[in-house]
Amino acid sequence: MKSKYSKTSTLFEVWARPLLSGLIIGLITTFLLFVLFALMMSFYILPTTSATILASVSIAVGSFFGGFFSAKKLGKNGILIGALCGVAMFLLFTLIGIIAFGNAPGASTLIRLLIFVTAGAIGGIIGVGDADKRKIV
């Protein structure tokens, strides 16, 4: 019975650590891009419609890097771990938006979900491919 418990905890640790590290990397990347784009908007005259586009670019790049580092750390199942990282980032951003602004999720929320999951999955695919560099002799 003890061995079955250790297999479950090992499976959880195997998936949770890469997912958590990718989530942290993705959040840091997204935050840095938000700051960079906010500085760009304050120093340059940009239309207000560009804020939505720049926010979408920020979450896509952050989710990409989160999925990339998760998959690189796990070393397999890149599309799955990348998509899970994207879903985790989406849930976190949506929860923060609901708490901070009190807005109910709408149609744009589904678009953001698609951006997060797609970018994370692409990052995961590339991260797994990058993790295993073999020399062919």
Side-chain angles (χ1 to χ4, degrees):
M1 187 77 177
K2 188 175 180 181
S3 64
K4 187 175 182 181
Y5 177 73
S6 66
K7 285 182 183 177
T8 306
S9 66
T10 303
L11 182 65
F12 177 75
E13 287 177 3
V14 165
W15 282 86
R17 284 186 182 179
L19 186 63
L20 186 60
S21 66
L23 181 64
I24 291 169
I25 295 290
L27 291 174
I28 290 171
T29 304
T30 304
F31 174 74
L32 290 175
L33 286 174
F34 278 158
V35 170
L36 176 70
F37 289 149
L39 288 172
M40 283 176 48
M41 288 185 70
S42 66
F43 288 122
Y44 301 107
I45 300 172
L46 295 175
T48 56
T49 56
S50 66
T52 306
I53 296 168
L54 294 175
S56 297
V57 168
S58 298
I59 62 173
V61 172
S63 184
F64 174 84
F65 279 111
F68 178 84
F69 284 106
S70 292
K72 191 169 187 169
K73 190 165 186 163
L74 184 63
K76 60 180 180 177
N77 298 331
I79 194 167
L80 183 61
I81 193 75
L84 284 174
C85 187
V87 167
M89 286 182 65
F90 167 77
L91 291 174
L92 190 63
F93 273 85
T94 303
L95 184 65
I96 290 170
I98 290 171
I99 291 171
F101 303 111
N103 292 339
S108 65
T109 307
L110 294 175
I111 294 170
R112 272 188 281 132
L113 174 64
L114 184 66
I115 292 170
F116 274 115
V117 172
T118 304
I122 292 170
I125 292 168
I126 294 172
V128 167
D130 189 51
D132 193 25
K133 298 279 184 179
R134 295 184 183 136
K135 289 185 178 180
I136 300 174
V137 179

